């Protein structure tokens, strides 16, 4: 028997309509550096989304599933593109502005982007690439920046505001199939070609509902979310869509991502929530320690993208900002787990802190299993470590197109199991009550004499030393043991801890056989395009003899 229920497609258009009608007075505030921030309501945004869609359709000839790319900071215009392209049936492609030039070119060509909406301040990055971007017919430039960089450029150049000016403020949005592509994002993978993940209207809709659940971010229209995680990094973790469902106000930092302006915008705009990777929070913590500010409104901080060091969580707790740790990937939209402790644990207890440090619990929409080295399924006993595999309503089942984007989906064996689950490449355990603890990326695990050493455990232990600002641990070849850990340490300004002291400190926290023999001080840990430790670079620096290593 079929159900008697209506079958209304789950679309980004519905999220937009709802935000504009029901939460029309909620605001998107964009930081401008100097002077007043720029403010626009959801209702005003809705009108401009319609105008942008008219411009894309009537003036730039966007049809069907044409790709509309953005090379933008987090700001109100970027949110407009987030809704206009998918609602008109096209595909939004967010470009990562921190990728090396060749990768950016490769991605634009692979996705066959026809239009790039670009912030003026990013023209120095884009202009030199234009000769290689044959598919791009139009550039739409928004915000301050030197337009003369585009003199003689081949794509037609348009001013964002001029293009949308005078266009109708409503749009007769098409009926869409919910399984249709709405947005795409390439993985920031540090090996091989980037891989395109294509989100459907349905996956975005369901993911947004999950983001809004109390067990996830649980925000309401009384909240303002400081969206630091870039809109090109997995759709800013789904926040622009989720906020339009619930009327959460958005505070957008634009290009002002340094610790000092972030602290200033928190003090003056008084957000209640913020989301970013640990690197950003480490920087903000140092800033707030050096120059204290009133950040008392910011009581909920979502941290993900890399493991949250316990020392960071503790320091933020002390500042009254409660960290909520979460795990996800480009392939998982990204929300995979959120670390909200179960009801029975006592608030403030060690047990609660331990739960908060895990990557968290899976929501109903994400099924998980752990696979051992021989392909066997491992129990959820909190001890058996294996590769995490997931499947669900907002999890990728393939990548976009073959090498020449020929329309055939890509399902590499190392990324998808035979029965269609996503192999995350993350290694960890799951407790009987469903909490995930990641010990490493499969490729970062240190295999020493047949035993595995978790680089994350060593890093967390090191970063809890008061003199250590950052620490990354990587596997390096060792004649006797196969691999051994190399500790790369960034010391806090003015501190002078020596390696013996740090090793003795570690010895109190990890098993003796795990203690690194090789140590080096670096000015900063190399970072990937989305701000994570770039261990591939560290391993190469070591192999090339570029690090000054002390053997203890
Ligand atoms: P990306 O697709 O760039 O977001 O990278 C996804 C990867 O980031 C995951 O597969 C994990 O290895 C890592 N990651 C994300 N969140 C966490 C977390 N909370 N703890 C540890 N690793 C994380």
């Amino acid at each position: 028997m079929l159900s008697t229920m209506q079958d209304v497609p789950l679309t980004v258009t519905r999220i937009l309509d709802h935000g504009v009608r029901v939460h029309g007075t909620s605001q998107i505030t964009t930081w401008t550096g100097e002077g007043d921030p720029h403010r626009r309501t959801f209702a005003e945004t809705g009108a401009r989304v319609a105008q942008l869609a008219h411009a894309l359709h009537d003036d730039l000839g966007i049809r069907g599933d044409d790709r509309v790319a953005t090379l933008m900071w987090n700001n109100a215009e970027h949110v407009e593109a987030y809704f206009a392209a998918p609602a008109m049936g096209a595909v939004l492609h967010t470009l990562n502005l921190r990728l090396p030039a060749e990768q950016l070119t490769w991605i634009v060509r692979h996705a066959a982007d026809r239009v790039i909406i670009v912030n003026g301040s990013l023209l120095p990055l884009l202009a030199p690439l234009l000769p290689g971007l044959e598919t791009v017919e139009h550039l739409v430039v928004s915000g301050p920046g030197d337009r003369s960089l585009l003199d003689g450029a081949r794509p037609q150049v348009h001013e964002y505001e001029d293009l949308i000016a005078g266009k109708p403020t409503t749009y007769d949005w098409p009926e869409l199939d919910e399984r249709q592509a709405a947005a795409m994002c390439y993985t920031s993978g540090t090996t091989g070609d980037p891989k395109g993940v294509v989100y459907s209207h349905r996956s975005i809709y369901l993911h947004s509902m999950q983001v809004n659940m109390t067990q996830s971010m649980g925000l309401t229209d009384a909240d303002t979310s400081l969206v630091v995680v870039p809109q090109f990094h997995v759709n800013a973790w789904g926040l622009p869509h989720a906020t339009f469902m619930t009327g959460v106000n958005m505070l957008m930092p634009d290009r002002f991502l340094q610790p000092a302006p972030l602290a200033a915008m928190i003090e003056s705009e008084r957000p209640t929530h913020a989301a970013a990777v640990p690197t950003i929070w480490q920087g903000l913590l140092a800033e707030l320690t050096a120059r204290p500010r009133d950040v008392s409104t910011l009581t909920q901080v979502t941290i993900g993208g890399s493991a949250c060091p316990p020392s960071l969580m503790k320091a933020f707790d002390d500042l009254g900002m409660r960290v909520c740790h979460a795990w996800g990937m480009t392939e998982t939209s990204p929300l995979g787990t959120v670390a909200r402790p179960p009801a029975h644990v006592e608030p403030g207890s060690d047990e609660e802190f331990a739960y908060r440090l895990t990557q968290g619990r899976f929501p109903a929409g994400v099924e998980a299993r752990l696979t051992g080295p021989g392909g066997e399924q491992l129990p959820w006993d909190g001890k058996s470590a294996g590769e995490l595999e997931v499947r669900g309503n907002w999890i990728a089942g393939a990548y976009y197109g073959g090498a020449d984007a020929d329309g055939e989906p890509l399902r590499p064996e190392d990324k998808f199991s035979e029965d269609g689950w996503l192999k995350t490449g993350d290694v960890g355990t799951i407790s009987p009550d469903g909490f995930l603890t990641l010990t490493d990326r499969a490729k970062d695990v240190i295999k020493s004499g047949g035993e595995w050493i978790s680089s994350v455990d060593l890093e967390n232990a090191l970063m809890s030393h008061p003199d250590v600002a950052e620490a990354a641990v990587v596997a390096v070849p060792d004649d006797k043991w196969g691999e051994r850990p190399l500790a790369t340490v960034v010391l806090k300004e003015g501190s002078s801890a020596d390696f013996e002291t740090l090793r003795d400190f570690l010895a109190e926290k990890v098993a003796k056989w795990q203690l690194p023999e090789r140590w080096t001080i670096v000015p900063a840990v190399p970072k990937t395009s989305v701000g994570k430790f770039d261990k591939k670079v560290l391993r190469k620096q070591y192999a090339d003899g570029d690090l000054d290593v002390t053997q203890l």
Side-chain angles (χ1 to χ4, degrees):
M1 190 201 288
L2 285 178
S3 82
T4 61
M5 306 316 286
Q6 297 183 9
D7 195 5
V8 180
L10 308 174
T11 61
V12 172
T13 325
R14 184 79 268 285
I15 301 177
L16 169 70
D17 271 348
H18 174 79
V20 169
R21 264 177 190 246
V22 175
H23 300 292
T25 56
S26 294
Q27 281 200 343
I28 308 175
T29 303
T30 307
W31 196 251
T32 53
E34 293 162 359
D36 289 340
H38 186 265
R39 300 177 204 284
R40 205 172 274 148
T41 64
F42 283 14
E44 288 163 343
T45 300
R48 287 168 56 90
V49 168
Q51 291 182 306
L52 176 59
H54 280 292
L56 289 170
H57 182 273
D58 303 348
D59 299 356
L60 309 191
I62 290 298
R63 298 287 185 277
D65 62 1
D66 281 347
R67 263 71 72 199
V68 175
T70 54
L71 187 67
M72 303 175 86
W73 304 105
N74 289 12
N75 52 42
E77 290 74 26
H78 205 168
V79 176
E80 289 162 13
Y82 256 54
F83 286 107
M88 66 191 283
V91 183
L92 174 86
H93 176 197
T94 49
L95 296 169
N96 179 340
L97 54 89
R98 299 200 201 280
L99 285 183
E102 320 79 70
Q103 272 194 33
L104 209 47
T105 302
W106 190 93
I107 286 172
V108 171
R109 295 167 62 135
H110 191 258
D113 297 331
R114 286 192 61 199
V115 173
I116 301 181
I117 308 178
V118 56
N119 277 138
S121 57
L122 294 168
L123 290 177
L125 176 74
L126 183 64
L129 309 186
L130 288 173
L133 308 181
E134 297 93 353
T135 62
V136 178
E137 295 158 39
H138 300 276
L139 291 186
V140 184
V141 189
S142 166
D146 180 5
R147 272 43 173 187
S148 73
L149 291 168
L150 296 174
D151 287 349
R154 183 191 41 80
Q156 284 185 47
V157 179
H158 313 264
E159 277 298 327
Y160 188 98
E161 293 303 326
D162 296 348
L163 194 67
I164 69 169
K167 294 280 189 294
T169 53
T170 57
Y171 194 102
D172 189 12
W173 302 115
E175 283 288 324
L176 299 172
D177 182 330
E178 65 180 17
R179 291 163 305 174
Q180 201 170 312
M184 65 195 302
C185 183
Y186 281 71
T187 57
S188 60
T190 43
T191 48
D193 287 332
K195 295 181 185 64
V197 175
V198 183
Y199 308 106
S200 63
H201 282 263
R202 172 187 164 85
S203 72
I204 290 177
Y205 192 101
L206 293 171
H207 179 262
S208 305
M209 293 187 72
Q210 182 60 48
V211 169
N212 284 321
M213 282 179 78
T214 317
Q215 290 278 7
S216 297
M217 295 197 203
L219 304 175
T220 73
D221 56 355
D223 286 295
T224 296
S225 178
L226 169 59
V227 186
V228 185
V229 53
Q231 286 186 256
F232 58 73
H233 187 199
V234 214
N235 298 323
W237 297 351
L239 280 164
H241 301 120
T243 51
F244 262 65
M245 268 191 176
T246 40
V248 178
N249 302 282
M250 274 179 272
L251 172 59
M252 296 303 210
D254 200 80
R255 59 191 187 281
F256 305 98
L257 295 167
Q258 307 72 22
L262 284 178
M265 68 187 86
I266 295 169
E267 187 171 52
S268 76
E269 292 301 315
R270 311 188 67 68
T272 55
H273 170 260
V277 295
T279 327
I280 294 278
W281 299 117
Q282 297 277 19
L284 187 69
L285 183 62
E287 169 69 24
L288 291 176
T289 311
R291 283 166 288 278
R293 300 250 192 183
D294 176 8
V295 291
S296 55
T297 56
L298 185 51
T299 52
Q300 220 204 119
V301 167
T302 305
I303 295 191
S306 307
C308 176
S311 50
L312 184 67
M313 187 175 285
K314 174 86 183 47
F316 268 80
D317 279 359
D318 291 346
L319 285 170
M321 303 184 195
R322 192 177 162 90
V323 168
C324 182
H325 192 200
W327 164 86
M329 322 168 59
T330 305
E331 289 88 336
T332 65
S333 292
L335 204 143
T337 55
V338 183
R340 300 249 183 224
H344 64 81
V345 302
E346 195 179 322
S349 62
D350 290 350
E351 187 189 12
E352 191 204 32
F353 196 69
Y355 267 113
R356 291 174 57 207
L357 278 176
T358 69
Q359 272 64 24
R361 241 190 312 206
F362 298 94
V366 180
E367 259 180 282
R369 69 185 186 194
L370 289 175
T371 304
E376 73 281 15
Q377 297 305 306
L378 301 175
W380 290 19
D381 57 8
K383 293 191 284 282
S384 309
E387 181 177 359
L388 172 68
E389 299 185 356
V390 290
R391 71 168 189 170
N393 308 113
W394 51 88
I395 311 291
Y399 293 108
Y400 172 66
D404 52 0
D406 53 12
E408 286 299 310
L410 263 185
R411 284 195 190 85
E413 272 174 28
D414 60 331
K415 293 290 188 175
F416 298 97
S417 69
E418 261 174 34
D419 55 351
W421 291 55
L422 173 75
K423 298 182 182 177
T424 64
D426 287 323
V427 173
T429 61
I430 303 178
S431 64
D433 52 354
F435 280 81
L436 170 72
T437 299
L438 290 183
T439 47
D440 246 316
R441 290 289 293 162
K443 62 181 188 309
D444 291 339
V445 168
I446 304 156
K447 300 178 191 88
S448 171
E451 297 283 345
W452 284 10
I453 301 178
S454 158
S455 63
V456 174
D457 285 351
L458 291 178
E459 287 161 4
N460 283 342
L462 272 172
M463 286 194 271
S464 66
H465 189 282
D467 287 343
V468 175
E470 270 183 345
V473 178
V474 295
V476 296
D478 182 271
D479 288 344
K480 184 163 174 204
W481 300 105
E483 286 178 357
R484 288 296 297 160
L486 161 74
T488 10
V489 177
V490 182
L491 290 179
K492 284 193 186 148
E493 240 179 81
S495 61
S496 59
D498 56 28
F499 295 140
E500 282 81 7
T501 311
L502 292 178
R503 190 194 45 190
D504 293 349
F505 179 79
L506 265 192
E508 294 165 17
K509 300 179 182 289
V510 302
K512 194 153 173 285
W513 62 273
Q514 301 192 345
L515 290 177
E517 298 79 21
R518 298 171 181 84
W519 293 76
T520 183
I521 301 274
V522 289
V525 176
K527 306 278 177 1
T528 68
S529 61
V530 287
K532 307 180 187 195
F533 290 171
D534 199 338
K535 299 198 173 177
K536 195 174 62 114
V537 170
L538 277 178
R539 281 190 285 260
K540 183 162 185 320
Q541 287 175 346
Y542 179 82
D544 294 349
D546 293 344
L547 298 174
D548 182 13
V549 176
T550 301
Q551 186 109 12
L552 292 187

